[in-house]
Amino acid sequence: MTVERILPTDEAYELLGLTRELADGELAPRVARFEQQGEFPREVLRTLGGAGLLGLPYPEADGGSGQPYEVYLQVLEILAGSWLAIAEAVSVHTLSCFPIAAHGSERQRKSLPDMLGGDLLGAYCLSEPQGGSDAAALTTRAVRDGEAWVVTGTKAWITHGGQADFYNIFCRTGGPGAAGISCVVADAGTPGILPQVPERTMGLRSSPPAQIVFDGARVPADCLVGEPGSGFRIAMQALDAGRLGIAACAVGLAQAAVDYAAGYAREREQFGRAIGEFQGVGFMLADMATQVSAARALMLAAARLKDAGRPFSVEAAKAKLFATDVAMRVTTDAIQVLGGAGYVSDHPVERWFREAKVLQIVEGTNQIQRLVISRSLTRG
């Protein structure tokens, strides 16, 4: 289905057209093999970087494309409709570039063109085995030793773990709580940075997360991003934008499921009629399509606030919450439309169903999104 889009410039329309060509020509033919083999698609990401899709919302002066977030999210949506692991990788990489782009020193910012061009792939190390939602309680520690920070601890559920070229490490350099957290950026080849065996995941098998152990890794002192103690603030700023990225991934996945289920319902016949003509199926498709449109509208409304420089944290939480819940419902219903055929891997809806679940968890669980929204209401 062609989604009607109202974009700010002709350049944006051309960008979405290029994205569609890449999604149809480069992504869709490969996804099944990469997912089946559990192979990370690093070269595909380089191709997207060469096309300018890995630095879309960053200024051209830094090596980005200078696109509004509203446009960037629609690019993610298109990518997710063909290959969610790629869209999530683009979203996480964009998130991983934020600390240096927004708070980096002049020396650190010299790496931005390689980051935003896709030559350097990033990872974002915040969660820990015993601390996910309670990020302010993280225990990974960095101790100053001469001209280096010595980092010790373990990070968990790291997208691009073992594949990234650089890691943003949120670590404790001071006392307890959020005020004691700083951010350092480290080269993946630093001795003492030890990626572990990737997790065996339900979905996103071509891009599974992994734990990263920091065993006394010595990171140069000038790799501290921002001021000591500013790490938690940097992390939360990045996550506000990252949640919109996950919302876009959810909308793209859900739209693909609606399109596929509708196509199947037009062709599959029972009792002498296409099953889509029966109200039981037709009304289900109508509800699916309406939910996806609502999720897209909520996501883009939050993006426009961000583009206008207005507060958008709560609206980003709403968009992430609603869009990912919609993706879970819509992929579930898509399987129901296909019946038994939806339960086998001959059709992509069973993969989309498995993939939708993780979107309710990453970048802050949906329970955390509800906490953010409820606090904004009860505390004014």
Side-chain angles (χ1 to χ4, degrees):
M1 175 181 136
T2 300
V3 176
E4 182 66 27
R5 302 182 188 276
I6 301 175
L7 298 173
T9 64
D10 290 341
E11 180 186 6
Y13 278 104
E14 293 173 4
L15 176 62
L16 263 59
L18 170 64
T19 304
R20 174 58 64 194
E21 290 178 10
L22 287 170
D24 292 343
E26 299 289 335
L27 305 189
R30 302 184 183 185
V31 56
R33 176 174 65 84
F34 275 80
E35 285 291 316
Q36 184 177 19
Q37 296 178 354
E39 181 181 348
F40 183 72
R42 183 66 179 93
E43 290 305 315
V44 176
L45 290 172
R46 284 197 177 90
T47 298
L48 296 184
L53 300 187
L54 294 189
L56 287 173
Y58 292 106
E60 293 182 32
D62 292 332
S65 298
Q67 291 294 325
Y69 231 74
E70 176 185 358
V71 174
Y72 159 65
L73 294 181
Q74 292 180 77
V75 167
L76 279 185
E77 179 188 335
I78 292 171
L79 295 175
S82 289
W83 191 346
L84 181 63
I86 287 292
E88 193 231 14
V90 173
S91 180
V92 169
H93 178 72
T94 302
L95 177 78
S96 300
C97 293
F98 174 84
I100 286 181
H103 299 278
S105 66
E106 184 176 348
R107 184 198 67 79
Q108 292 166 352
R109 293 175 61 82
K110 291 180 180 178
S111 298
L112 279 174
D114 287 337
M115 293 177 176
L116 301 178
D119 291 332
L120 297 177
L121 184 67
Y124 188 83
C125 302
L126 180 61
S127 295
E128 297 184 354
Q130 301 304 320
S133 295
D134 188 6
L138 63 82
T139 60
T140 296
R141 179 164 290 277
V143 177
R144 186 66 180 264
D145 182 21
E147 293 303 310
W149 292 97
V150 180
V151 184
T152 303
T154 302
K155 295 295 182 178
W157 313 112
I158 306 304
T159 300
H160 305 157
Q163 302 289 344
D165 299 296
F166 67 94
Y167 293 98
N168 293 283
I169 311 165
F170 294 92
C171 47
R172 193 163 300 285
T173 57
I181 296 172
S182 299
C183 176
V184 297
V185 61
D187 184 276
T190 302
I193 296 182
L194 308 173
Q196 304 299 292
V197 176
E199 306 288 352
R200 295 190 296 174
T201 54
M202 179 190 297
L204 297 180
R205 291 172 180 169
S206 59
S207 183
Q211 287 193 357
I212 308 293
V213 173
F214 299 95
D215 184 13
R218 294 182 65 86
V219 180
D222 63 358
C223 288
L224 180 76
V225 181
E227 298 296 324
S230 65
F232 190 78
R233 176 168 55 88
I234 293 172
M236 294 303 104
Q237 288 174 350
L239 285 175
D240 282 342
R243 285 166 180 165
L244 288 179
I246 296 303
C249 289
V251 171
L253 189 75
Q255 184 67 63
V258 170
D259 294 344
Y260 197 90
Y264 185 88
R266 288 192 296 269
E267 297 178 2
R268 172 69 168 170
E269 292 188 359
Q270 292 289 281
F271 306 103
R273 299 165 60 189
I275 62 171
E277 296 180 13
F278 293 97
Q279 284 189 352
V281 174
F283 283 11
M284 185 183 296
L285 292 170
D287 287 343
M288 292 161 66
T290 301
Q291 291 172 56
V292 175
S293 292
R296 181 180 294 110
L298 191 58
M299 171 192 79
L300 293 178
R304 289 169 189 142
L305 287 176
K306 180 177 178 1
D307 287 333
R310 297 172 60 187
F312 71 98
S313 298
V314 175
E315 297 308 309
K318 292 177 183 176
K320 195 271 183 184
L321 166 65
F322 186 75
T324 58
D325 280 354
V326 163
M328 193 74 251
R329 287 194 299 270
V330 165
T331 54
T332 300
D333 287 346
I335 290 176
Q336 194 69 20
V337 171
L338 270 69
Y343 198 67
V344 297
S345 59
D346 296 21
H347 297 274
V349 291
E350 65 86 25
R351 170 168 58 82
W352 294 334
F353 171 82
R354 290 186 285 106
E355 291 174 337
K357 186 62 208 173
V358 75
L359 298 176
Q360 295 178 303
I361 299 170
V362 296
E363 311 290 23
T365 66
N366 282 6
Q367 286 66 39
I368 289 295
Q369 308 313 312
R370 289 179 169 89
L371 183 63
V372 169
I373 298 163
S374 64
R375 281 179 174 173
S376 75
L377 297 170
T378 58
R379 298 182 182 180

